[in-house]
Amino acid sequence: MTPAWAKVLIPIVLIAIGAVLVWAFSLAALEGGDRLALIALERVPESGVSNPITSVLLNFRAYDTLLEVAVLLTALLGIWSLGPAAPAFQPASPILGGMIAWVVPLLILSTGYMLWAGGHAPGGAFQAGALLGAAGVTLALGGDASAGLPGETRLRFLSVLGVLVFTAVGVILMALGYGFLTYPEGYAKWLIIFIETAATLSIGVTLAAAYLGGEPRDERTSRSAT
Amino acid sequence: MITQFLYGGSGILLFLLGTWSFIVHPPLIRKLIAINVMGAGVFHTLVALAYRGLTAPADPVPHALVLTGIVVAVSATALALAFGQRLDRDHGSSADDD
Amino acid sequence: MSELLLLFDLLLTVTLLVLATAAIMSREPRRAVILYIAFGLLLALVWARLRAPDLALAEAAIGAGLSGALMLAAARRATAAKRQHASQPGTKGETS
């Protein structure tokens, strides 16, 4: 347990840190300039998509997003290496089962919409991937031991698909004489959609597999744990 | 400007609350919630910093950073929970006792 | 108009901080997680007000939804393990 002196000292130190943070925040907020915002917003029309956030994520700072997808993959590999999954939930009652039969197709449909809408409206690969993952979580809550995920081989392939396609596009562009992930004019939109589709599949599969926890099991041997 | 400071200040408060809880409360699940609150505070401060009033469009660069951060936070949470589950399996539930 | 907006901002901020404190201070894991989910959803609402609809979507789906689902499952396991631990010490098992 925390000793008495720590109970007094910790809040004091935290308040001091807070004061420094507020000071730093006021410096940043009062400075007022447009910083990167103007440059980014100015060049959005050249990026192939009209949603500024998607253009920052998939064009101006595509490097960041590639590494982020890699972080997600690394976390999944970590989870898989920690041993088998917890036992599955009980099978759903008829009412919940009926609702799941309705909700899951709707979630998958909205995944597609969110992915496409990301180009010009709020949305994008991460939101779409989250919806796909939510479909898997819903299935898992209904008692599906595999959360609707495919067998081990395809699961492993799908989970690396995002990083694979992202890196492949970058390397191919490099080989063609453009920079790494510097899209040639006119192709930006389709390359972004292509990368986003692969990333969405990967993110959805990764999130659903992370919810299940445990290393992937072959379909034939699944449910042996219960 | 006052909106920025209101929301930015609350973001910093959230961060401090999360840090305090992370240090003081021993159960793993409470520490995890505390880390998530800390993260939410940081994101909230960044969003407040990107806000440019109701008429001007917000700064998209911090928004992209926050989007990245949200996804990294959830993967860290999932990994931490898997570690916690493994600890429970190996050592009983002692790691979760108050 | 701007006074009304400020009042709305204040209301949102205070609710946000109260929910975060409640989530942090709650001793029971399940209760804490549910309060955290409520906090995440309110945070999404605040970000929609701060002109960040993309982030609001992501926070509602990922931050509140998936993190919440993950932590609820963990809280359920923790409660079950504690109950089993209390009734018959020395066994390690999972109940579903």
Side-chain angles (χ1 to χ4, degrees):
Chain A
M1 243 10 262
T2 7
W5 58 264
K7 275 185 182 160
V8 186
L9 196 63
I10 291 169
I12 292 175
V13 171
L14 284 179
I15 287 169
I17 294 174
V20 175
L21 286 177
V22 169
W23 173 70
F25 180 82
S26 66
L27 278 188
L30 290 174
E31 182 200 8
D34 282 302
R35 296 190 292 274
L36 279 173
L38 256 195
I39 310 171
L41 286 172
E42 219 167 54
R43 302 196 54 179
V44 164
E46 300 169 30
S47 68
V49 286
S50 56
N51 179 1
I53 297 182
T54 306
S55 61
V56 172
L57 273 177
L58 268 304
N59 199 334
F60 307 148
R61 297 181 66 95
Y63 228 91
D64 254 22
T65 311
L66 168 61
L67 291 177
E68 174 185 3
V69 179
V71 165
L72 212 58
L73 177 64
T74 314
L76 182 65
L77 293 180
I79 291 168
W80 277 352
S81 58
L82 285 171
F89 291 98
Q90 297 162 3
S93 65
I95 297 174
L96 182 60
M99 201 198 78
I100 287 172
W102 268 99
V103 165
V104 169
L106 274 179
L107 277 172
I108 294 174
L109 194 67
S110 23
T111 301
Y113 168 74
M114 197 66 94
L115 176 62
W116 179 254
H120 52 86
F126 292 106
Q127 289 88 341
L131 286 178
L132 196 59
V137 171
T138 314
L139 279 175
L141 287 176
D144 186 336
S146 67
L149 293 170
E152 188 183 344
T153 322
R154 275 187 288 171
L155 179 61
R156 285 186 192 276
F157 176 72
L158 277 176
S159 57
V160 295
L161 187 68
V163 181
L164 194 72
V165 167
F166 220 136
T167 323
V169 168
V171 170
I172 290 172
L173 285 175
M174 243 166 105
L176 292 177
Y178 303 92
F180 186 72
L181 288 172
T182 311
Y183 310 123
E185 217 163 312
Y187 292 95
K189 179 177 182 182
W190 298 106
L191 284 176
I192 286 177
I193 293 273
F194 180 54
I195 293 174
E196 278 198 306
T197 310
T200 299
L201 280 174
S202 271
I203 293 166
V205 164
T206 305
L207 290 175
Y211 182 75
L212 282 184
E215 56 209 332
R217 284 170 294 184
D218 212 333
E219 268 158 335
R220 280 158 299 180
T221 56
S222 68
R223 293 206 64 107
S224 60
T226 51
Chain B
M1 190 50 70
I2 187 158
T3 323
Q4 262 194 337
F5 271 92
L6 182 65
Y7 284 115
S10 65
I12 292 172
L13 258 179
L14 285 176
F15 174 78
L16 294 176
L17 269 175
T19 317
W20 173 77
S21 171
F22 179 74
I23 299 172
V24 173
H25 296 135
L28 284 180
I29 185 111
R30 293 185 76 175
K31 280 195 189 296
L32 211 54
I33 290 177
I35 288 187
N36 273 293
V37 171
M38 275 169 82
V42 174
F43 301 153
H44 195 46
T45 311
L46 277 173
V47 173
L49 208 54
Y51 181 65
R52 294 265 187 281
L54 277 175
T55 45
D59 188 346
V61 180
H63 283 182
L65 293 181
V66 172
L67 201 52
T68 311
I70 291 174
V71 177
V72 172
V74 77
S75 51
T77 305
L79 187 59
L81 284 174
F83 273 123
Q85 198 185 336
R86 181 64 191 263
L87 271 177
D88 283 355
R89 198 161 50 222
D90 291 354
H91 303 287
S93 60
S94 55
D96 260 322
D97 285 345
D98 282 58
Chain C
M1 180 58 206
S2 89
E3 286 83 13
L4 198 63
L5 196 62
L6 190 64
L7 197 69
F8 183 62
D9 287 342
L10 273 175
L11 191 67
L12 278 178
T13 307
V14 170
T15 320
L16 200 63
L17 289 173
V18 168
L19 270 178
T21 316
I24 280 174
M25 298 306 292
S26 172
R27 297 184 70 83
E28 207 214 327
R30 193 186 181 80
R31 193 182 144 88
V33 174
I34 292 172
L35 280 167
Y36 174 75
I37 295 175
F39 164 76
L41 290 175
L42 193 77
L43 195 63
L45 188 67
V46 173
W47 289 354
R49 183 255 174 272
L50 286 176
R51 300 207 50 170
D54 295 76
L55 299 184
L57 269 173
E59 172 67 22
I62 306 178
L66 280 166
S67 289
L70 276 165
M71 288 198 280
L72 262 186
R76 178 173 140 280
R77 271 198 304 272
T79 318
K82 196 175 279 181
R83 200 178 298 138
Q84 206 175 38
H85 208 65
S87 61
Q88 35 180 184
T91 53
K92 309 170 201 170
E94 300 269 345
T95 49
S96 55

